[in-house]
Each structure stands twice: as structure tokens, then as C-alpha cells.
């Protein structure tokens, strides 16, 4: 049996009405005001040069995996909305929630900064869904030390559940 040839989602960008797109509940990326203004200027001057990455939900609506700030730029700026006829370029990925979360984090970490409290919540959600420390480190690009620090900051004992601790006092 031959494996299906992989085709990057960027080769199948589709125009989607912004009203059919929803933000996800797990994106820890924040944008400072100067960068937000810069993004608006970039989209105003260059247009949308990168599609929004979405997952198409069973009800037909789309949930953002990457591109939240490009999405909100259209919502906040009537000139952009009108010029683009309310359509955003979307590339679709079809992955389970834990893989979409990992994709979001990878996209963000490649170019942005993160809110620590939201990152703690994401690690907790991934741990609650059964993901191991190894899976989190591999799929989110986190070092063991960074994951340990997030767990320590959280103060949530459940995040340490799959760790074997030595009894150095024995």
C-alpha cells in the first residue's frame, strides 16, 4: 500500500467570510499595541500575504489555529473589511484538538512571546487530555527545564503526576 502524498494546506487557500470564523480558546499569544498597529499597516499596504490557519468544525464553521491577530485586524478595521469584501484567506488543517493546540504554540513560538499563565493552562489542558511530558516537549518545542518551570509556577500537583521522584533522603 502506498502512502497518500502529503500536500501542504497553503496550496489550497480558500476565501472564507470572517463571520464564519471563530477564535480558539487556548491561544496564549498576545500582541503589544505597537505591533498591532504595525500589523494593520502591513495588511493595509501589502494585503493578506499569509492565510489564516483554521480547523473546519463539524458544523461548517472555522476555528483559528494560527492567525488570530490577522483575523482581528479585519474585525477592527472597516477599511480592511471592505477592501477584502469580508473574506479572509484560510488554509485548513484537519487534526485533533491536542495537535491543533501544539500547532498554535509552534506557530506562536516561532515568532512571538507568550503569557505565562495561559501557557500553564495549556500545559494543564494537554496533561488532562493524557499527553505525556515527552509529547508536550516534542510537539510544543519546550525544553524539560521550561516545562518544569511552568509546572512549578502553576503550583498544580497534578502536572507532576507522571514523574518519578528519587528519595534522596533515603
Amino acid at each position: 500500500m502506498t502512502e497518500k502524498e502529503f500536500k501542504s494546506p497553503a496550496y489550497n487557500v480558500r476565501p472564507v467570510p470572517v463571520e464564519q470564523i471563530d477564535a480558539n480558546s487556548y491561544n496564549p499569544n498576545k500582541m503589544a499595541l505597537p505591533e498591532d498597529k504595525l500589523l494593520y499597516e502591513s495588511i493595509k499596504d501589502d494585503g493578506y500575504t499569509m492565510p489564516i490557519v483554521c480547523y473546519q468544525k463539524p458544523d461548517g464553521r472555522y476555528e483559528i489555529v494560527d492567525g488570530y491577530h490577522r483575523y482581528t485586524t479585519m474585525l477592527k478595521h472597516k477599511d480592511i473589511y471592505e477592501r477584502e469584501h469580508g473574506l479572509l484567506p484560510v488554509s485548513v488543517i484537519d487534526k485533533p484538538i491536542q495537535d491543533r493546540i501544539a500547532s498554535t504554540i509552534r506557530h506562536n513560538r516561532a515568532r512571538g512571546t507568550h503569557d505565562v499563565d495561559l501557557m500553564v493552562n495549556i500545559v494543564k489542558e494537554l496533561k488532562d487530555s493524557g499527553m505525556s511530558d515527552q509529547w508536550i516537549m516534542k510537539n510544543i518545542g519546550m525544553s524539560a527545564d521550561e516545562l518544569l518551570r511552568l509546572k512549578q509556577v502553576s503550583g498544580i500537583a497534578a502536572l507532576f503526576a507522571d514523574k518519578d521522584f528519587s528519595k534522596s533522603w533515603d
Side-chain angles (χ1 to χ4, degrees), residues 56-168:
Q56 190 166 17
K57 301 185 287 188
D59 66 3
R61 294 185 61 80
Y62 295 81
E63 181 178 85
I64 296 171
V65 174
D66 181 64
Y68 174 77
H69 296 103
R70 285 171 273 148
Y71 159 79
T72 59
T73 297
M74 181 176 282
L75 295 179
K76 291 188 294 188
H77 298 280
K78 186 178 179 183
D79 59 333
I80 301 292
Y81 181 93
E82 289 176 353
R83 183 190 71 198
E84 302 291 329
H85 307 287
L87 300 172
L88 277 172
V90 169
S91 62
V92 177
I93 62 172
D94 186 15
K95 295 181 172 192
I97 183 65
Q98 65 269 21
D99 291 327
R100 295 194 313 267
I101 290 172
S103 292
T104 296
I105 302 308
R106 285 192 301 262
H107 280 91
N108 289 348
R109 289 180 64 99
R111 68 172 177 262
T113 59
H114 296 276
D115 180 289
V116 172
D117 291 333
L118 288 173
M119 285 298 292
V120 166
N121 290 339
I122 285 168
V123 168
K124 181 180 181 327
E125 184 172 335
L126 290 171
K127 293 298 284 181
D128 288 347
S129 70
M131 299 299 106
S132 69
D133 285 359
Q134 293 298 70
W135 188 96
I136 292 169
M137 289 184 295
K138 177 182 179 272
N139 288 282
I140 296 183
M142 227 178 241
S143 70
D145 287 342
E146 187 177 9
L147 181 57
L148 178 61
R149 282 193 303 274
L150 274 179
K151 288 177 170 186
Q152 289 170 332
V153 166
S154 76
I156 301 171
L159 294 182
F160 292 90
D162 67 343
K163 285 291 179 197
D164 292 325
F165 293 98
S166 66
K167 295 182 179 179
S168 59

Side-chain angles (χ1 to χ4, degrees), residues 6-13 51 53 90-93:
F6 182 81
K7 186 175 180 184
S8 293
Y11 292 110
N12 190 27
V13 176
V53 180
V90 169
S91 62
V92 177
I93 62 172

Side-chain angles (χ1 to χ4, degrees), residues 26-41:
Y26 53 81
N27 189 353
N29 200 17
K30 303 284 185 205
M31 185 179 286
L33 188 56
E35 285 80 10
D36 189 50
K37 289 179 180 179
L38 186 61
L39 179 60
Y40 166 69
E41 291 299 326

